[in-house]
Amino acid sequence: MSIVTRGFGGRRDDPGDDVPPGQFVTQDFPVLSTGPTPSVDEAHWQLAVHTETGAVNRWSWDELMSLPAEDVTTDIHCVTHWSKLGTTWRGVSLDTLFADVETSADFVMAHSYGGYTTNVPLQDLLDGQSWVAYEFEGEPLEPVHGGPARLLVPHLYFWKSAKWLRGLVMEDDDQPGFWESNGYHAYGDPWLEQRYS
């Protein structure tokens, strides 16, 4: 079941070279989800990274808040053709979270509260490319946008930035997540219009 809220509309004028091909610029922040918004209490929120050896690194909300945070300004691009430019976020870099994670796996399956999954190559999560974001435009991240914390991987289509993040599971093979199993591209580069498989 898809839930679509205000701000989601049809095609707009071509914005030129500032956004990937096939995209239009929106000032709103459309909400698209595969199901209802889960209620995640920060007191019970937890993020876990599971490696292929069975090792688990965990962070509570307070532990996440104690880690060095970064402010990020970036464009985001949805596979449904909208782009939002110059968005500002605050969160913890995946480089920080993976500093003590020992893995030789090449892929990650992101798991969300509510059951959503999406696959991402590990190399796309490191080297300053992704964050666990908990603020948007200077305010706590709203639940409809993935709060209290979501994955932010802005160089890929936005379905790769899993809302309501709860876990990252290391994988030796590139297994498809929810949308990838339903016909979306395994990687999702917006500049190459990798919308569908």
Side-chain angles (χ1 to χ4, degrees), residues 29-191:
F29 193 170
V31 176
L32 292 90
S33 298
T34 61
T37 299
S39 177
V40 184
D41 184 345
E42 292 170 3
H44 298 104
W45 180 91
Q46 187 177 84
L47 175 65
V49 175
H50 299 261
T51 72
E52 69 279 14
T53 65
V56 182
N57 294 66
R58 294 184 197 278
W59 297 266
S60 68
W61 184 257
D62 289 341
E63 289 168 336
L64 183 75
M65 293 298 104
S66 73
L67 295 174
E70 297 180 6
D71 294 313
V72 180
T73 300
T74 188
D75 302 338
I76 54 176
H77 311 288
C78 183
V79 71
T80 60
H81 300 278
W82 61 262
S83 291
K84 187 169 178 63
L85 307 183
T87 61
T88 59
W89 305 80
R90 184 168 181 79
V92 176
S93 170
L94 268 285
D95 295 313
T96 299
L97 295 175
F98 272 79
D100 294 323
V101 174
E102 293 185 19
T103 182
S104 60
D106 292 326
F107 300 98
V108 176
M109 185 68 74
H111 291 259
S112 299
Y113 290 95
Y116 179 79
T117 57
T118 189
N119 56 305
V120 185
L122 179 59
Q123 67 182 8
D124 285 272
L125 298 181
L126 303 178
D127 299 324
Q129 297 183 93
S130 69
W131 298 264
V132 175
Y134 52 82
E135 287 185 10
F136 175 74
E137 305 294 348
E139 298 291 336
L141 187 59
E142 293 181 41
V144 294
H145 292 303
R150 74 177 297 153
L151 187 60
L152 177 63
V153 190
H155 67 281
L156 299 178
Y157 279 124
F158 212 43
W159 91 79
K160 295 292 187 175
S161 294
K163 296 179 181 181
W164 315 298
L165 187 67
R166 69 173 179 85
L168 300 168
V169 178
M170 306 307 303
E171 305 274 354
D172 291 324
D173 301 311
D174 194 14
Q175 300 296 320
F178 176 83
W179 283 118
E180 298 83 10
S181 296
N182 286 284
Y184 279 44
H185 197 277
Y187 183 64
D189 184 333
W191 293 96

